[in-house]
Amino acid sequence: MEDNKISVTSNNIFPIIKRFLYSDQEVFLRELVSNATDAIIKLKTIAKLENLDDIEDDLKIRVLINQKNKTIHVIDNGIGMTKEEVKKYINQIAFSGAEEFIKKYNTSTKDSHIIGHFGLGFYSSFMVSNKVMIFTQSYQKEASSIFWSCEGSPNFIMKEIEKRDRGTEIVLFLNEDSKEFLEYNRILKLLQKYCKFLPVEIHLSSKEDNDKETIVNNIHPTWNKNPLQLIDKNYLDFYHELYPNQLEDPLFWVHLNIDHPFHLTGILFFPKIERRIDIQKDKIHLYQNQVYITDNLEGIVPDFLSLLKGVIDSPDIPLNVSRSHLQSDTSVKNISRYITRKVSDKLNSLFTINREDFQKKWEDIKIIVEYGMISTQNFFDKAIKFLIFSTVNNIYFTLEEFKEKISPTQKNKEGKIVFLYSSDKEEQHSYIKEAKNRNYEVLILDSPLSVHLMQKLEFYDKEISFVRVDSDHIEKLIDKEKKYDSELSEKEKQDLISFISNHLVDEYKFSIQLENLSKKDSPFLIIVPEFLRRIKEMNSIGREIVKEKDQKEYYQLIVNTNHILMKKILQETYEDKRKEMIQEALNLTLLSKNLLQGKNLTAFISKRLEDLVR
């Protein structure tokens, strides 16, 4: 029997482990079960390499809860440890047995599925325990069975004990603050979170209920299978296994599989996003050799793909010492580029092979494509081929296709091809109608990211210009130098501005601009010029600024000097009658823009009703 001290550089390593090394106490179970998995995989590897024929097939891990004794037992029938190995791997903290094993047997992490990396996982058990015991028997038959015990200080006890079955049993005596881990359902949920896809069967049971035993994991997850051997149902079943609360099926998926220059497997699912950018509750999961690590994949998965769901599994993603956070390096950047390329290749393939089906899915995926094109240049370069736009008539075009279609009719005097668009078909119906009357095509650009994408596309292609259909009179949107002469003198124009300014309701003190338009056009037009509106939309606080400032900084009132109403206003000698004419026409214009609200709308409706019963 030995009574000794653990070999560490500091006599105070346990408080460091408890307070700083692991950010979440619950990971102790992940670490212990991962170590047990390593022990069984090591045994399988040795049995194969050394032709051991007495190793049974029933290799598994048992997690046993004993509420009476306030203990959790993690038991495996794997490789076990000799006395020397306990000294080396338990007493010398931060020495990784997994790394040494891989070097000794010259096997890659990919092939062996060995999880251990830092050798500190076992000590996470002291976050929840007052005392930890180990019972272990090496696969080497001549080796003695070993008992090890420690109460969370550098002092430990180690001795040889009566012969046991091969494998290791770790017993945790839980402290008062960790009683929650004696609950069966709590442990079940933790195992399902961290160990749901470990490659060795895990059996959970309770001492108080021997009949209640559950196999908690799927040892052959879909992402590790050959895509050629999978059908759609396999992917859909796996999606709902990952996210049991998701009722809808994903639209499609991308199966990742690469061996060089790094090893990575996984499946990314495209859910229905529509026009929302929701905070995703069900995120992409990162695994390392089938052990769940985190769903915070910042740096690995580009931001625009954070809207996807699924799994990424790679032993080559660097983690911090507690396996809880990513560490950025060149390999992470390469993995991010690979994922971006695979997603863009998949989207391009869907577009090329079955464009009609791609167009049906477009409304559900366009927010991801737009986000990617704005934020990631590599993705933009590929996505420009499958980016599509819908017209107000629900006809889809790529950028080049739309340019070719409208170039003969929608080119302004500067030679720019004008992409007219609407952000709301109903709200901007009258403007769309005016455009259609001139045989112009109008796109629908109604996502939250449309304005940012337009900026990017205009920079990419200097021949095009995006203009919202209600940002000016239609003749001005695509200015072809067609001019109308004004029938008013300069004095009449000044008088007109004065009359209209004096009779604008306080809430609508817009800036006024006189335009010589057709007699058939409306007397008034309210617009927000394209460049001002874009600034407002692209500025995250722009909407608040608009509420606080005078709206005339954004809205312009276009006055058609050639409309017959203007002559009547100028000729009217009664001030009250002139005021009524101006406000009536303005109210109708405001109503068409959904700007007539509150007391002004109430007054307008009341007057109309009075006129009807006269």
Side-chain angles (χ1 to χ4, degrees), residues 12 207 264 274 598:
N12 209 21
K207 189 76 171 177
L264 181 144
E274 297 177 341

Side-chain angles (χ1 to χ4, degrees), residues 379-392:
F379 184 78
F380 179 94
D381 295 338
K382 289 179 178 273
I384 197 68
K385 297 174 185 176
F386 55 76
L387 172 71
I388 55 176
F389 304 98
S390 171
T391 69
V392 291

Side-chain angles (χ1 to χ4, degrees), residues 236-336:
L236 294 174
D237 288 347
F238 177 62
Y239 178 77
H240 292 293
E241 183 181 1
L242 269 178
Y243 307 110
N245 296 324
Q246 285 290 329
L247 301 178
E248 287 189 303
D249 288 341
L251 296 168
F252 51 89
W253 45 85
V254 183
H255 200 133
L256 307 170
N257 194 334
I258 185 172
D259 289 319
H260 185 78
F262 49 83
H263 180 68
L264 181 144
T265 57
I267 302 171
L268 297 180
F269 294 94
F270 276 71
K272 288 187 176 181
I273 301 292
E274 297 177 341
R275 292 168 56 186
R276 306 180 308 274
I277 304 182
D278 294 333
I279 297 173
Q280 297 295 306
K281 291 175 66 176
D282 295 323
K283 299 180 181 180
I284 299 171
H285 297 170
L286 174 66
Y287 285 75
Q288 195 169 74
N289 290 323
Q290 296 175 225
V291 179
Y292 174 81
I293 303 297
T294 182
D295 61 6
N296 180 9
L297 276 73
E298 184 178 352
I300 292 180
V301 174
D303 285 347
F304 75 97
L305 295 181
S306 63
L307 298 172
L308 304 189
K309 304 182 191 300
V311 166
I312 291 173
D313 188 341
S314 174
D316 296 326
I317 295 175
L319 304 174
N320 69 350
V321 72
S322 65
R323 291 202 293 198
S324 43
H325 300 289
L326 309 178
Q327 295 183 157
S328 181
D329 68 357
T330 304
S331 66
V332 169
K333 293 177 182 177
N334 290 337
I335 288 171
S336 179

Side-chain angles (χ1 to χ4, degrees), residues 35 121 150 189 194 358 410 415 549:
N35 288 347
C150 178
K189 286 180 180 178
Y194 291 108
F358 184 82
Q410 292 180 218
K549 290 190 174 183

Side-chain angles (χ1 to χ4, degrees), residues 142 231 370:
E142 69 280 4
I231 60 175
E370 290 174 350

Side-chain angles (χ1 to χ4, degrees), residues 16 149 192 247 317 364-365 388 494 583:
I16 294 173
S149 177
Q192 289 173 336
L247 301 178
I317 295 175
D364 290 312
I365 65 171
I388 55 176
Q494 291 304 314
Q583 290 195 346

Side-chain angles (χ1 to χ4, degrees), residues 19 67 91 170 179 272 298 337 523 529 572:
R19 293 182 187 179
Q67 291 184 338
N91 297 345
I170 295 176
K179 287 182 179 179
K272 288 187 176 181
E298 184 178 352
R337 281 194 286 267
E572 181 58 57

